[in-house]
Amino acid sequence: MPVNNIAVFCGSRAGKNPLYVAHAAALGRLFAERKITMVYGGGNKGLMGAVANAAMENGGKVIGVIPEILLEWEAEHKGITELRVVADMHVRKKTMYELCDAAIVLAGGNGTLDELFEMLTWNNLNIHNKKIVLLNTAGFYQHLVAHIDSMSDEEFLYDNWRDRLIVCDDPVTAIDALV
């Protein structure tokens, strides 16, 4: 199945390590260079802003999906190809999933983890079978990966989680895992 649209889930904050922003920007440039439409949360701050700005600055196509409640808080991006304003967080996630062929998860907070685990759960329930990549910049997700391994070791997972979630350490490997 061709991958034309990739969802990006990431933080609306930049984090402490400058590599988070560098990887987000590199990913945005790669989307533009490879003519892949980026679908993301519609914000202009943090990693969300970095990845969207890099894609747009390099001639890419970016679709943002932002809930009404976050318009002021996340500062919607007014310089992207298309911004869809939706009713709430649930509609945002559903819309992003419907628009994408696959997803890449960058560093982020609770919302990013929520998006990751909902997509993994939907894969497990065969609601969809979209590839998901966890971009483990600077080992950000090493503890999460260890915890998922523990869930598997303790037999709380139905199948091998590594068949559903690809862990990569850099943006090029992340995109290559999907296309």
Side-chain angles (χ1 to χ4, degrees):
M1 176 175 152
V3 175
N4 300 312
N5 303 327
I6 296 179
V8 175
F9 300 107
C10 60
S12 60
R13 296 187 65 180
K16 288 183 358 182
N17 188 334
L19 191 57
Y20 303 141
V21 171
H23 273 189
L27 190 63
R29 284 189 299 277
L30 287 166
F31 284 139
E33 290 169 8
R34 297 188 185 196
K35 307 287 188 237
I36 296 169
T37 298
M38 184 183 110
V39 178
Y40 85 119
N44 70 2
K45 298 189 292 185
L47 299 186
M48 292 174 74
V51 67
N53 289 339
M56 292 303 298
E57 289 165 5
N58 289 278
K61 181 178 178 186
V62 177
I63 300 171
V65 182
I66 193 166
E68 292 173 359
I69 195 169
L70 294 182
L71 284 176
E72 286 183 37
W73 193 62
E74 278 193 283
E76 77 273 16
H77 202 307
K78 296 179 178 162
I80 57 176
T81 311
E82 178 183 346
L83 181 68
R84 296 185 185 191
V85 179
V86 296
D88 57 41
M89 294 294 284
H90 297 291
V91 176
R92 176 201 225 178
K93 288 187 290 186
K94 186 173 189 294
T95 301
M96 289 177 68
Y97 299 149
E98 289 170 352
L99 291 172
C100 77
D101 303 313
I104 298 177
V105 181
L106 283 66
N110 293 331
T112 304
L113 291 178
D114 172 57
E115 292 156 342
L116 165 65
F117 281 107
E118 184 159 332
M119 195 159 189
L120 277 172
T121 300
W122 288 7
N123 262 359
N124 194 56
L125 296 173
N126 293 315
I127 294 170
H128 67 73
N129 191 27
K130 298 177 182 184
K131 288 184 179 181
I132 308 166
V133 168
L134 191 64
L135 182 53
N136 191 26
T137 299
F140 180 80
Y141 283 115
Q142 67 188 13
H143 298 292
L144 180 63
V145 168
H147 185 71
I148 297 171
D149 275 334
S150 178
M151 292 188 309
S152 180
D153 292 346
E154 294 297 325
E155 299 181 3
F156 283 104
L157 303 181
Y158 285 94
D159 52 16
N160 183 354
W161 69 269
R162 291 183 186 269
D163 292 339
R164 301 195 181 276
L165 182 64
I166 304 160
V167 181
C168 298
D169 293 327
D170 65 86
V172 172
T173 307
I175 290 224
D176 287 347
L178 297 177
V179 295

